[in-house]
Amino acid sequence: MLEIKNVYANDIGGALCGVEALIDGKGIYGIIGAHKGDLSLLAEVICGCRDAESGAVELNGQPMSRGDVETRRRARLVPEYLELLPSITAVEYLDFVGDVFKIDSEKKYRL
């Protein structure tokens, strides 16, 4: 379960003001919005690449933060555009990331 609780964050490219969401269940989810900077900022907060100024993001009850590497390893982000590797699919990209983090092949596609 992914829970986003009243998240506020600011960056040159975007701002989040009181974002709330609850995603309960396995699956692939997308974020749709009007401003790319806001979406990028939200993705960074969800994945623990950036801490929110206030509020919290929890994955299965564990807080996501830049300092918590173990929880961050459980979150996966597939960007809309794979600028460094434009000719591969999202699944190939996830497989690549799994290899980088040395995740066993039988665990790669499980939460």
Side-chain angles (χ1 to χ4, degrees), residues 3-25:
E3 192 169 0
I4 302 169
K5 304 175 183 178
N6 202 26
V7 168
Y8 285 81
N10 247 330
D11 191 307
I12 293 172
L16 305 174
C17 299
V19 175
E20 299 257 347
L22 177 65
I23 299 172
D24 190 13

Side-chain angles (χ1 to χ4, degrees), residues 22-75:
L22 177 65
I23 299 172
D24 190 13
K26 293 181 180 183
I28 298 173
Y29 299 90
I31 301 170
I32 299 172
H35 192 272
K36 184 178 179 181
D38 298 344
L39 299 175
S40 297
L41 182 57
L42 180 59
E44 290 174 6
V45 171
I46 289 172
C47 290
C49 297
R50 172 188 300 269
D51 289 328
E53 293 172 24
S54 66
V57 175
E58 293 181 359
L59 181 63
N60 296 327
Q62 299 296 316
M64 293 293 285
S65 69
R66 292 183 69 188
D68 186 356
V69 176
E70 286 306 311
T71 304
R72 285 180 54 198
R73 288 182 71 169
R74 300 202 55 187

Side-chain angles (χ1 to χ4, degrees), residues 82-102:
L82 303 173
E83 295 170 3
L84 296 176
L85 306 167
S87 62
I88 68 172
T89 66
V91 172
E92 290 170 330
Y93 178 74
L94 287 175
D95 194 45
F96 166 75
V97 171
D99 290 342
V100 168
F101 283 102
K102 297 184 171 99

